[in-house]
Amino acid sequence: GSIELALRLVSSARVLPPRSLPIDNNTEILLFTSALKAIKSCVIRNPSGRTRCRSAGLFEFLSSVLDYCLKTSAPAALIDEVLTTLAATCLGDDLNALQGTLQLRHFIETISTKHGNNQNTSLKQKITYIIALFDAVEKKHHELILFVQKKKPDFFNIVTISEKKYRMGQNFLQLDKFHESETCCTSALSTVEPLLTHTSLLKNLICNLYEQRSTARLALENCEGALSDVDTLLNNYKLSMASVASTQTRRAKALEGLGRKVDVTETSEKASILPPNYKIFKSKLEKLTP
């Protein structure tokens, strides 16, 4: 929640539109710079941090800061900081890079026109890098971009809401509110899964939702529903070895709950081929084996 905290602190200072307190430019610049540095530290070499950017409202914040930079005589240091944060947010996360391309490219191009001849080498390099990144994204995801622009302008709104429901479901699981967690996952899947026909960028989110829902359903003793979820994962998605191991464990629990002892044995045998470092999952499966 560090990204959310940094953005909340900026919001509480009321420097973003609509402003309700008079703030001098130096204070404003200091707030923006401090928040950007904090956010940057959360996303650099941190894939899980980058996945929280959308639901935290980071892209709206970056848009506001970039707009501020273009409408005021913002120092090159602030522009450099916002570009660095944007690059760190997009690097290694194709979904973030796509959103940056669609929502922030016009800011970067205007900054390039306005500051392209700036003597600040670092600033020029970052502008060049981000534009090159956005060019690559447009080339790679050309059809998806056309789909979003022409037929699904609320694409990222749908993804954001689904990500928030996933995290709400996580919180409910920790509180043993399994029905509420299942409801969050089902609601998110109903809106985000149809988008999978247009892009594979949502696979991780969808897999996370199925994994979480199967856990909630097991706790609710809805073994049929849990089995359906884990089979969807195992049959339709390429999972990491760790995910395969935990999913097979949940599958065995669901089969046991349904009284299908023979199938529990088969699932345990499949898990026996897992590497030695996944012995914790093997031991869980062995306890379920008749």
Side-chain angles (χ1 to χ4, degrees):
S2 298
I3 298 174
E4 291 89 337
L5 177 60
L7 294 176
R8 201 165 295 155
L9 289 172
V10 175
S11 178
S12 66
R14 302 177 188 176
V15 297
L16 295 173
R19 305 179 188 209
S20 55
L21 288 178
I23 303 258
D24 65 86
N25 286 345
N26 289 336
T27 302
E28 208 164 27
I29 291 168
L30 179 61
L31 281 167
F32 286 150
T33 304
S34 299
L36 289 165
K37 287 182 177 180
I39 293 165
K40 182 175 62 179
S41 69
C42 295
V43 299
I44 290 179
R45 292 187 295 276
N46 183 10
S48 62
R50 290 193 291 273
T51 63
R52 298 187 71 96
C53 291
R54 198 167 3 271
S55 58
L58 177 58
F59 285 94
E60 291 80 3
F61 173 65
L62 292 175
S63 178
S64 294
V65 178
L66 288 166
D67 186 59
Y68 172 85
C69 290
L70 290 172
K71 291 180 178 178
T72 66
S73 54
L78 175 59
I79 300 173
D80 190 283
E81 198 64 52
V82 69
L83 294 181
T84 303
T85 304
L86 173 59
T89 300
C90 295
L91 185 62
D93 191 304
D94 285 354
L95 197 56
N96 284 354
L98 178 68
Q99 187 166 1
T101 301
L102 286 169
Q103 297 180 356
L104 303 178
R105 177 167 191 139
H106 64 287
F107 287 117
I108 306 305
E109 290 178 340
T110 305
I111 287 175
S112 177
T113 301
K114 190 174 180 180
H115 297 276
N117 296 323
N118 194 298
Q119 296 303 310
N120 187 323
T121 304
S122 174
L123 181 59
K124 290 168 66 175
Q125 288 177 340
K126 289 182 176 68
I127 292 171
T128 301
Y129 169 78
I130 292 174
I131 289 178
L133 172 64
F134 288 171
D135 285 343
V137 170
E138 286 187 347
K139 183 177 180 180
K140 182 177 180 180
H141 300 289
H142 176 68
E143 291 186 5
L144 174 59
I145 289 173
L146 288 178
F147 167 72
V148 173
Q149 290 175 332
K150 295 183 177 181
K151 296 184 179 180
K152 208 70 176 175
D154 60 342
F155 177 88
F156 284 108
N157 185 49
I158 292 172
V159 176
T160 301
I161 292 172
S162 297
E163 289 175 339
K164 288 181 177 179
K165 287 181 178 178
Y166 166 66
R167 293 195 172 89
M168 285 174 60
Q170 281 183 313
N171 293 335
F172 282 132
L173 271 185
Q174 293 171 1
L175 296 171
D176 292 343
K177 294 184 176 181
F178 304 116
H179 177 73
E180 290 84 347
S181 179
E182 179 190 21
T183 300
C184 285
C185 294
T186 300
S187 175
L189 283 167
S190 68
T191 55
V192 77
E193 195 168 23
L195 298 176
L196 195 59
T197 58
H198 299 279
T199 177
S200 62
L201 295 180
L202 301 174
K203 281 187 176 180
N204 285 342
L205 173 59
I206 291 170
C207 286
N208 288 338
L209 287 165
Y210 272 116
E211 287 176 0
Q212 187 165 281
R213 190 171 71 174
S214 66
T215 300
R217 285 178 166 177
L218 278 175
L220 291 168
E221 298 183 354
N222 178 4
C223 295
E224 284 284 2
L227 182 62
S228 174
D229 284 344
V230 297
D231 282 347
T232 296
L233 285 168
L234 293 168
N235 296 331
N236 298 337
Y237 297 98
K238 185 177 181 180
L239 305 177
S240 67
M241 190 65 72
S243 291
V244 169
S246 60
T247 303
Q248 291 285 13
T249 299
R250 289 196 304 277
R251 187 173 195 276
K253 288 181 179 179
L255 290 168
E256 183 189 42
L258 293 169
R260 293 165 56 179
K261 299 294 185 180
V262 174
D263 292 329
V264 173
T265 302
E266 181 185 344
T267 298
S268 299
E269 289 173 352
K270 287 182 179 179
S272 68
I273 64 173
L274 293 171
N277 54 317
Y278 292 105
K279 60 184 178 181
I280 183 172
F281 296 106
K282 292 181 184 180
S283 64
K284 288 181 179 180
L285 285 166
E286 286 168 358
K287 292 177 182 178
L288 297 171
T289 304

